[in-house]
Amino acid sequence: MPLSTAHVATDRPARYVKQLISHLGHKATAEVTGAGRGTVTFRDGACSLVSRRGELVLIAAAAELDALAGVQDVVARHLVRFATEEELHVEWSAPAGGDTLEIVTPAVDDYLLTHCTPADQVLTELAVATREATGRSAGMQVSADEGALLEMLVRLAGARRAIEVGVFTGYSALCIARALPADGYLLACDVSTEWTDLARPFWERAGVQERIDLRIGPAIDTLRALPEEPAFDFAFVDADKVGYPAYYEEIVTRLVPGGLLVLDNVFLGGTVLDPAFQEQDQQAMRLVNDALARDDRLDCVMLPVRDGVTLARKR
């Protein structure tokens, strides 16, 4: 349970961020990460510093509880030492695991779904069929609001040629394909005929079957077999997480300038925020999240939509 936060009441949060970055830079790697924001990285943990109106938010993380306590102690002691004009109180929350984070609360979930254009009958019936056929695996299907977001993004981008990696039962493919023009093209990559066979009747009912080129096999092979020149306007990745770094690299090369790459599940249920989670999925997702933020070919933004969605536009 290596995540903990502290909300420190103060009228000088930005000042304390600067002081902590400056002084702790002698003991750790300290850097400014944005306006009024910074990160201090120690050998066994890290602490993010966030300046907000009326408070300084501290977010400590480490792989072990002892290491977390060490990060908390160092940051709190230095912060209190800097407070010569006021008395600061640093109270850390109880340690919690990343997998306990609730990105979308039930109340927010209900409110946003009731204030979003509802899914039509075909999508609704596809969602029902998915739940009945796949049971607990139905969670791999995008939600109605995320499907609406994908459709809107494709329309806003004016996309004509798209890629999807990870089709499952075809809900997201349907949303993407029907947002394309009549002569649009969606290359849909998946390894399962069992689930994609469920998709086909619904694609036909929606009138988008002719726009979708379903390729069964490892997606990385399908992508690498494509010509390397830019030819696609839009791409959506929602597949095996270990493959994300490779999918991202292959797709960016093939996006036209102004093309949009969308990646789903970039939070992995909150576990990417938690250093205690070091499985292949978490390592791969951290790698691609960091790479996207540093990629000078792209402008990107990460959104707290469902399990985290990143939008990356090719420059």
Side-chain angles (χ1 to χ4, degrees):
M1 299 184 294
L3 291 174
S4 179
T5 59
H7 295 259
V8 183
T10 176
D11 291 329
R12 305 176 177 86
R15 170 186 171 184
Y16 291 127
V17 170
K18 292 180 181 178
Q19 288 179 312
L20 286 168
I21 292 293
S22 174
H23 287 262
L24 290 176
H26 302 294
K27 298 183 178 182
T29 301
E31 58 182 342
V32 174
T33 56
R37 304 178 66 89
T39 300
V40 183
T41 304
F42 302 92
R43 184 181 64 179
D44 297 321
C47 187
S48 295
L49 320 169
V50 184
S51 171
R52 291 183 178 173
R53 184 175 181 179
E55 68 173 0
L56 171 64
V57 182
L58 309 174
I59 309 166
E64 304 290 341
L65 287 174
D66 288 346
L68 179 67
V71 171
Q72 292 172 321
D73 178 64
V74 171
V75 173
R77 281 192 293 107
H78 280 77
L79 177 61
V80 171
R81 187 183 306 165
F82 298 146
T84 57
E85 301 176 23
E86 60 181 329
E87 184 177 354
L88 298 183
H89 300 280
V90 183
E91 296 184 8
W92 295 97
S93 66
D99 56 346
T100 67
L101 298 178
E102 193 170 30
I103 307 300
V104 181
T105 67
V108 171
D109 178 52
D110 178 71
Y111 191 80
L112 69 85
L113 286 174
T114 55
H115 292 82
C116 178
T117 301
D120 64 14
Q121 185 174 355
V122 176
L123 286 172
T124 300
E125 291 182 11
L126 174 53
V128 172
T130 298
R131 288 196 297 271
E132 293 176 347
T134 68
R136 296 182 65 180
S137 296
M140 293 193 295
Q141 179 179 268
V142 300
S143 60
D145 55 305
E146 188 172 352
L149 174 63
L150 288 172
E151 185 172 345
M152 185 175 291
L153 289 172
V154 173
R155 294 189 189 279
L156 290 173
R160 303 184 67 86
R161 291 174 57 83
I163 297 172
E164 179 178 49
V165 179
V167 177
F168 191 42
T169 60
Y171 190 104
S172 53
L174 197 162
C175 293
I176 294 168
R178 71 179 181 183
L180 296 170
D183 62 347
Y185 171 79
L186 170 61
L187 174 61
C189 307
D190 206 283
V191 295
S192 169
T193 56
E194 178 184 4
W195 299 141
T196 54
D197 283 348
L198 181 63
R200 292 182 185 276
F202 292 92
W203 292 346
E204 292 176 359
R205 286 178 55 191
V208 299
Q209 175 74 17
E210 297 303 315
R211 301 177 196 174
I212 301 175
D213 178 9
L214 177 62
R215 306 277 185 93
I216 300 298
I220 193 62
D221 294 340
T222 301
L223 294 174
R224 287 174 177 165
L226 296 171
E228 291 190 8
E229 63 267 15
F232 291 90
D233 313 287
F234 185 88
F236 178 54
V237 179
D238 183 15
D240 61 295
K241 310 315 171 192
V242 173
Y244 268 43
Y247 301 147
Y248 141 67
E249 286 292 350
E250 296 300 328
I251 289 172
V252 169
T253 300
R254 294 166 173 83
L255 280 180
V256 301
L260 186 65
L261 169 63
V262 181
L263 292 94
D264 199 12
N265 304 121
V266 296
F267 294 160
L268 283 184
T271 60
V272 294
L273 287 69
D274 188 338
F277 289 86
Q278 292 294 333
E279 301 299 320
Q280 286 186 318
D281 283 358
Q282 284 83 26
Q283 293 186 28
M285 191 60 74
R286 292 183 188 115
L287 176 65
V288 78
N289 287 345
D290 291 344
L292 282 162
R294 296 192 303 263
D295 195 327
D296 59 11
R297 298 170 296 177
L298 303 169
D299 296 314
C300 72
V301 59
M302 183 179 288
L303 305 175
V305 174
R306 296 302 170 182
D307 192 26
V309 173
T310 290
L311 311 182
R313 179 183 180 274
K314 190 171 182 180
R315 295 176 179 173

